[in-house]
Amino acid sequence: MSVDVYLVFNGNCREAVEFYAKVFKTEAPRIMTFGDSPPNPDYPLPEEAKELVMHTRLNIDGSNLMFSDTFPGQPFVAGNNITLALISKNMDDLKSWYEQLKDGGTVGMELQETFWSKLYGQVTDKFGIHWQINYDNGEMAM
């Protein structure tokens, strides 16, 4: 299990992650854009979102640092753009953490299967800390 830092940017994520990759001499990041996600006719993707970064990560000296852009229309608040990501291969642990963290908190996304994970959810706990819960499938794990 790991607890990783997740940074959210206001449209300049690609520039930031490429900068950090250069600074820390990491491999070039694999970038998934919002346009790479499967289309949903009920929620058409705005044109301005297609090239924005949905997810990427860098491994900096053994620590994962993950990045994305804010989806167009979603509020971006500097200082609130950092979340902690709990990543595990144990679904029971993930479910337990999620249930406990949401007690007195606010659910951002119910724990569910997504196109990138068998189990994913978002919650802000009662102390205002933003968490992402994600099953580690061994691929471009969050």
Side-chain angles (χ1 to χ4, degrees), residues 34-46 50 71 109 112-116:
F34 286 107
D36 293 333
S37 61
N40 181 337
D42 295 332
Y43 302 99
L45 192 62
K50 291 183 178 176
F71 193 80
M109 181 176 178
Q112 61 189 275
E113 185 169 344
T114 64
F115 72 89
W116 70 85

Side-chain angles (χ1 to χ4, degrees), residues 22 26 34 52 59 67 80 107:
K22 182 179 174 186
T26 68
F34 286 107
L52 293 176
N59 187 289
F67 307 81
N80 289 348
V107 172

